[in-house]
Amino acid sequence: MRLSKHIKTLSILLLIIGTTTLYAQEKLRAPAYPLVTHNPNFSIWSMDSELNGSATQHWTEQDHSLLGILKVDNEYYRFLGAETKIYETILAASDEIDYQADYTESKPDFGWEKINYNSSHWKKGAAPFSNETSDAKTIWKSNNLWYRRVFDLDNKNLKNLYLKLRHDDNVVVYLNGNKIYETEGWLHRYKYIPINQNIIKKLKSKDNVLAIHVKNTAGGQWLDAGLVTEAPSMQNVEIKKAKQTNVVLNANQTIYRFDCDNVTLTATFTSPLLLDDLDVMSRPISYLSVKVKSKDNKAHQTKLYIGASSNMAVYTPQQEVVATKYTQSNLNILKAGTVEQPVLQKKSDDMRVDWGYVYLSAPATTSKHYISAANTALLPFVSNDKINTKTEITGKNLVLNTITDLGSVSTKETETVLMLGYDEVYTINYFGSKLKPWFKKQGISMDGALATAADDYKSIIKRVETFDKKIYEDCLNAGGKKYADLCILAYRQAIAAHTLVESPEGEILFLSKENNSGGFINTVDVTYPSAPLFLIYNPDLLKGMLNGIFYYSEKSGKWSKPYPTHDLGVYPIATGHIYGEDMPVEEAGNMIILTAAIAQQEGHAEYAKKHWETLTTWANYLTKEGFDPGNQLCTDDFAGHLARNANLSVKAIMGIASYGKLAGMLGKKQVEKNYIAIAKKLAKDWKKIDADGNHYSLAFEAKGTWSQKYNLVWDDILDLNIFSKDIIKKEIKYYLTKQNKYGLPLDSRKTYTKSDWIVWTATLAENEADFKALINPMWKYANETPDRVPISDFHETTNAKRINFKGRSVVGGYFIKLLKVMKK
């Protein structure tokens, strides 16, 4: 009996150990970790598995550098970020000075790139060269351009040299006749490419030549170039890299733990995006808590350095900034912004804000603060250099610095809390009105917001921890661990791709930026996939995503078509549609379905009532044009336009049925009856026309094709019951035979996919096994993708590589399974 008991106990222990090991192995490695996430302009990430593995970056992959170092006795440990390269100009590009170069658009003679080539017969033009008339100094619209720029050097004894290049499209670059770079594609910002030392040694004092051939293949055109060298660091002490021992990603927090030899350090980034409290959610202030304690039972003297680059407040590092320091409300405050302050003067996809001010604050009782140049920032911390006492400095590449004396640290944990914030002053141009951030509605200043955030720290952290625990448990219960991991990964990204403002009419506006896919503002087919997160936690925010579209159709006088616009412009300028082509069925279906979803969540249709005339126009359009769509654009046309799109037809039918549902909720019973009948008839016709043996086709009568019919998900969530249930069973069974290693392709044309749509498709599954079979490859994609950026929703299912897109709000769609489980 005793032996049996021991064997049984051993078996249980082995099971526990095995289970623990399995879960340790299954911890998600995020493609990127959110640190400071508030809106498209104030969004800082760690694009590395280790917080100190690389410089922190804006979602556009430009350095927005945060640096953290802990001094323990006489040793230094870097736990946050990495030293960002600072460049000194050798040959200025056009972002710094006006310059001219020789150029030709006709193929030149052999040897055109050589030093001794005579280009005097070429034209002369100012850079940049582009087809964009608003930005170009020299218009270039042909397929090819050859460029030569002669320059002298005051000092040719350079330790390093980088090519500074912005190009669209393919380029070949030569320095004194030697090829230094060649690539295909385009880059709409400057890239710094190291030049081989053997080529640097051949530089001359006079008449060096930078020569470039750029070839346009499609779309935009651009060329500008210069040369820079890396500025020397003035740091003269060894700084060790702290050993990261753990990272925990929660909905509102990212928590890192480090080993600094005799001391442990915990760094917690909290962006309190509490969707049920718009005042807290909209306040653009994140907390950085640093906790330190001894691990060897001995006391250790500790100091903490935190530095924030002024480049968080510029579009390009060449812009001049003014930085100030002061003390207020028991906070040491540092502030930086461009001298120019071009408020709402830029609109772009690959954009960093260059108006407003970045703030760094620390408790005044324990910290010292100062402003410095980037290459001298650490000197007061690592040497006996005096702290710069100037209260204002103007320059480029400045750093906001704080040093906190944590004193003697023992086994009792010592904590200090810093805050990072951004005041855009004005955040959106809404049909000519400059709108302030939501947190300023009651006239609060940024200094006031910092003081309030400091006072509220403990209560907010408690609320965050409670919410984060609940949202994880809810997602876990809805779809399992891997599903929960994906939702938590998506949470801050989905919210921070929006900004919250109030319209001149007093309506809430929660405006998305279509990150890395055009930069459009308030795009309807971006709102649609992101909606589930906001439907669950605050439907008012979804109203804020629809209000601008309704206003454009109803009151702006700029849109009279019988379907919604695609967008309201390019972020942050919301003055009207700018996308080149309409999406009539797509956007009409989206708007009606989401209005019905709001009514479902709220239990009444008062919001729909306000817009009934407009909804009726769109529903009638769908009734006439939606069932068998023509060759019109839809959200999934990555492989080209597609007529008779079966999934788009499903959306139209769902839109018609949703309108019927809304009519019924408003007491319009005959209207409800009519439109539900229309939807049911169309659903029967759809089933017959699109049938293709053991599945349904990509397009009507396109035999041998298939696609994800994710729009069917609303039939259950909205209790419409329009389509036959056997359609979903057949489709899910078929999808499970078409999966690749990293997910189910979008359709039969290509092997790439959209992760948001896979989660919607998986939510159609009637049993847990099928749901997880479709979700697990998505978790594997997130865990293994080589592209370390805020997760892309558009990837290749065979190798997990990003096709395009990053940091988009559509990942809010991952919550649709939870929405289905929690539907009211």
Side-chain angles (χ1 to χ4, degrees):
M1 287 292 293
R2 287 180 179 178
L3 180 60
S4 299
K5 186 175 181 180
H6 286 315
I7 291 173
K8 185 177 180 180
T9 302
L10 181 60
S11 299
I12 293 171
L13 286 171
L14 288 172
L15 179 62
I16 293 171
I17 293 169
T19 303
T20 303
T21 303
L22 175 63
Y23 275 94
Q25 290 174 344
E26 289 189 333
K27 182 176 180 178
L28 179 67
R29 179 233 62 179
Y33 290 88
L35 305 178
V36 178
T37 47
H38 292 277
N39 58 55
N41 290 332
F42 194 35
S43 182
I44 304 171
W45 298 69
S46 173
M47 312 291 193
D48 200 293
S49 296
E50 296 180 335
L51 182 60
N52 53 6
S54 60
T56 58
Q57 294 185 326
H58 186 251
W59 71 262
T60 58
E61 298 179 77
Q62 291 293 288
D63 286 359
H64 275 187
S65 182
L66 293 169
L67 188 64
I69 299 170
L70 182 69
K71 181 181 181 182
V72 182
D73 299 326
N74 292 312
E75 301 289 336
Y76 298 87
Y77 301 86
R78 175 172 53 83
F79 66 91
L80 166 59
E83 191 173 8
T84 299
K85 285 185 171 65
I86 304 299
Y87 299 104
E88 294 178 350
T89 298
I90 301 299
L91 179 65
S94 69
D95 62 331
E96 294 185 78
I97 65 167
D98 293 330
Y99 77 87
Q100 287 195 330
D102 293 346
Y103 76 99
T104 181
E105 295 172 83
S106 302
K107 186 174 182 179
D109 298 332
F110 178 79
W112 65 274
E113 76 281 8
K114 304 293 185 184
I115 292 177
N116 57 1
Y117 181 83
N118 184 359
S119 59
S120 60
H121 60 289
W122 289 17
K123 291 179 282 187
K124 292 189 180 296
F129 299 83
S130 177
N131 65 338
E132 298 177 15
T133 55
S134 60
D135 296 319
K137 293 288 182 62
T138 299
I139 298 296
W140 164 48
K141 293 187 176 181
S142 62
N143 289 331
N144 290 276
L145 184 138
W146 288 263
Y147 159 116
R148 281 175 59 89
R149 186 178 178 190
V150 180
F151 64 97
D152 300 334
L153 288 175
D154 294 329
N155 174 23
K156 64 177 185 177
N157 297 316
L158 299 168
K159 290 184 178 180
N160 54 68
L161 190 66
Y162 293 78
L163 170 67
K164 176 183 174 181
L165 179 67
R166 179 177 171 181
H167 64 94
D168 188 352
D169 292 300
N170 305 345
V171 290
V172 185
V173 185
Y174 302 88
L175 183 57
N176 288 347
N178 299 289
K179 185 189 293 186
I180 59 172
Y181 186 64
E182 182 175 8
T183 191
E184 293 184 355
W186 51 267
L187 190 68
H188 285 172
R189 59 177 178 266
Y190 292 100
K191 183 178 183 180
Y192 297 87
I193 302 123
I195 297 173
N196 187 280
Q197 275 292 332
N198 292 329
I199 294 174
I200 297 173
K201 291 175 182 177
K202 295 177 182 178
L203 290 169
K204 308 184 302 175
S205 298
K206 298 285 185 181
D207 298 328
N208 298 284
V209 176
L210 181 65
I212 305 173
H213 174 214
V214 57
K215 181 177 182 180
N216 179 50
T217 58
Q221 297 172 235
W222 190 283
L223 180 64
D224 186 30
L227 297 170
V228 298
T229 188
E230 191 175 341
S233 171
M234 300 185 71
Q235 170 190 311
N236 295 312
V237 299
E238 179 188 1
I239 298 179
K240 299 177 181 179
K241 183 180 176 184
K243 181 182 178 181
Q244 184 174 307
T245 58
N246 195 23
V247 58
V248 176
L249 181 65
N250 295 328
N252 287 287
Q253 292 186 314
T254 307
I255 305 167
Y256 294 90
R257 293 187 176 86
F258 295 90
D259 188 329
C260 304
D261 290 337
N262 296 320
V263 162
T264 61
L265 180 151
T266 302
T268 302
F269 289 87
T270 304
S271 297
L273 304 182
L274 299 171
L275 294 179
D276 62 348
D277 187 337
L278 298 187
D279 291 335
V280 171
M281 187 206 83
S282 67
R283 191 164 62 203
I285 296 170
S286 282
Y287 301 103
L288 170 56
S289 160
V290 178
K291 297 178 180 178
V292 180
K293 69 176 181 179
S294 170
K295 54 183 281 195
D296 63 357
N297 295 318
K298 296 179 181 179
H300 298 279
Q301 293 297 318
T302 57
K303 286 186 177 181
L304 174 71
Y305 168 87
I306 297 292
S309 172
S310 67
N311 287 345
M312 294 177 193
V314 304
Y315 181 52
T316 68
Q318 284 69 38
Q319 289 178 282
E320 195 170 48
V321 300
V322 58
T324 57
K325 72 168 192 171
Y326 53 97
T327 301
Q328 188 166 306
S329 303
N330 296 317
L331 296 172
N332 281 339
I333 299 174
L334 294 146
K335 167 185 174 182
T338 59
V339 172
E340 182 185 5
Q341 287 297 303
V343 177
L344 295 171
Q345 294 303 302
K346 291 183 176 65
K347 59 178 183 178
S348 178
D349 189 352
D350 184 28
M351 194 184 90
R352 274 73 51 201
V353 66
D354 61 357
W355 64 89
Y357 301 89
V358 62
Y359 288 75
L360 177 65
S361 75
T365 53
T366 56
S367 69
K368 298 177 181 179
H369 62 322
Y370 60 99
I371 310 159
S372 71
N375 60 347
T376 62
L378 291 177
L379 292 184
F381 184 62
V382 301
S383 68
N384 293 321
D385 278 34
K386 292 182 179 179
I387 285 179
N388 187 338
T389 58
K390 289 184 178 180
T391 57
E392 183 174 304
I393 294 178
T394 300
K396 300 175 183 177
N397 294 302
L398 302 181
V399 178
L400 310 179
N401 309 274
T402 68
I403 296 175
T404 302
D405 190 348
L406 299 174
S408 179
V409 171
S410 61
T411 53
K412 184 179 179 181
E413 201 165 52
T414 298
E415 180 184 21
T416 190
V417 179
L418 298 95
M419 295 183 293
L420 196 69
Y422 203 102
D423 179 10
E424 293 181 69
V425 184
Y426 291 98
T427 189
I428 296 292
N429 176 344
Y430 185 70
F431 296 100
S433 295
K434 292 194 297 185
L435 304 184
K436 293 181 179 181
W438 181 275
F439 82 95
K440 288 190 167 185
K441 278 180 58 183
Q442 306 304 323
I444 189 171
S445 67
M446 191 63 184
D447 288 339
L450 286 166
T452 302
D455 291 342
D456 293 349
Y457 171 69
K458 288 185 179 179
S459 63
I460 285 178
I461 293 301
K462 185 176 181 180
R463 289 172 62 189
V464 161
E465 290 174 348
T466 299
F467 175 83
D468 287 2
K469 181 180 179 181
K470 184 177 188 308
I471 191 174
Y472 184 79
E473 289 176 351
D474 287 346
C475 293
L476 184 69
N477 292 333
K481 178 186 180 299
K482 291 186 176 180
Y483 173 69
D485 287 348
L486 290 171
C487 288
I488 299 310
L489 175 65
Y491 184 82
R492 272 177 278 173
Q493 176 174 317
I495 299 168
H498 299 81
T499 197
L500 184 66
V501 292
E502 185 178 61
S503 77
E505 295 75 26
E507 288 191 320
I508 184 174
L509 296 173
F510 193 48
L511 302 174
S512 64
K513 178 174 182 178
E514 195 174 336
N515 288 345
N516 199 221
S517 55
F520 304 105
I521 187 168
N522 208 186
T523 304
V524 177
D525 57 291
V526 167
T527 293
Y528 178 68
S530 68
L533 170 62
F534 306 105
L535 281 166
I536 295 168
Y537 295 106
N538 193 341
D540 282 346
L541 287 170
L542 182 54
K543 293 176 189 176
M545 298 155 79
L546 305 188
N547 283 339
I549 306 300
F550 279 121
Y551 173 86
Y552 193 48
S553 285
E554 297 168 351
K555 299 178 181 179
S556 74
K558 294 185 174 184
W559 188 265
S560 58
K561 297 178 182 180
Y563 47 80
T565 181
H566 167 271
D567 61 81
L568 294 182
V570 173
Y571 192 93
I573 311 301
T575 53
H577 174 88
I578 202 168
Y579 194 66
E581 192 173 349
D582 295 340
M583 296 187 181
V585 172
E586 181 76 43
E587 310 303 26
N590 291 342
M591 288 294 291
I592 299 173
I593 290 168
L594 294 181
T595 303
I598 291 170
Q600 174 98 345
Q601 289 298 100
E602 293 187 329
H604 61 78
E606 290 304 305
Y607 183 68
K609 186 177 181 180
K610 288 174 55 179
H611 304 289
W612 191 248
E613 184 178 344
T614 303
L615 290 166
T616 300
T617 298
W618 294 342
N620 288 338
Y621 175 82
L622 290 179
T623 302
K624 294 176 183 177
E625 306 290 344
F627 173 68
D628 195 350
N631 191 29
Q632 62 177 248
L633 190 64
C634 83
T635 194
D636 295 331
D637 282 340
F638 307 110
H641 283 37
L642 180 71
R644 315 194 77 191
N645 185 323
N647 189 48
L648 186 58
S649 178
V650 171
K651 178 173 287 184
I653 297 168
M654 289 290 95
I656 294 166
S658 295
Y659 178 79
K661 176 185 177 73
L662 289 168
M665 294 179 75
L666 290 172
K668 302 176 186 291
K669 295 302 181 181
Q670 188 58 48
V671 176
E672 175 187 26
K673 182 178 179 181
N674 291 345
Y675 279 84
I676 293 296
I678 292 169
K680 287 185 174 180
K681 178 184 183 304
L682 294 177
K684 288 181 180 179
D685 293 343
W686 186 97
K687 181 179 181 181
K688 182 178 179 180
I689 296 172
D690 201 50
D692 190 8
N694 61 350
H695 70 285
Y696 294 86
S697 298
L698 165 66
F700 290 160
E701 298 180 340
K703 302 300 184 183
T705 65
W706 63 272
S707 66
Q708 294 186 43
K709 309 302 188 304
Y710 56 81
N711 285 314
L712 286 166
V713 75
W714 296 108
D715 205 23
D716 186 357
I717 291 175
L718 297 180
D719 295 320
L720 299 173
N721 301 310
I722 301 298
F723 282 86
S724 172
K725 302 300 182 186
D726 64 331
I727 293 174
I728 290 174
K729 290 180 181 179
K730 183 182 286 189
E731 285 289 275
I732 292 294
K733 183 177 180 180
Y734 186 78
Y735 296 152
L736 292 172
T737 70
K738 294 298 180 180
Q739 290 207 100
N740 289 324
K741 183 177 180 180
Y742 297 105
L744 177 68
L746 185 61
D747 58 50
S748 54
R749 290 176 292 180
K750 301 285 184 179
T751 55
Y752 53 55
T753 198
K754 293 282 276 81
S755 59
D756 47 343
W757 297 148
I758 287 185
V759 180
W760 288 40
T761 296
T763 301
L764 295 171
E766 295 182 347
N767 62 73
E768 182 180 354
D770 288 348
F771 174 79
K772 289 184 175 180
L774 290 162
I775 288 295
N776 289 350
M778 298 309 308
W779 187 95
K780 188 176 183 66
Y781 151 65
N783 193 56
E784 297 181 8
T785 178
D787 296 297
R788 305 308 299 272
V789 295
I791 190 167
S792 170
D793 55 287
F794 186 22
H795 73 273
E796 175 55 58
T797 62
T798 60
N799 58 21
K801 289 184 178 180
R802 175 173 74 104
I803 300 295
N804 203 349
F805 308 161
K806 62 190 172 192
R808 300 210 309 165
S809 63
V810 302
V811 295
Y814 292 1
F815 284 83
I816 198 157
K817 174 67 170 180
L818 182 59
L819 177 65
K820 181 178 178 179
V821 170
M822 297 177 67
K823 71 175 182 177
K824 296 180 180 179

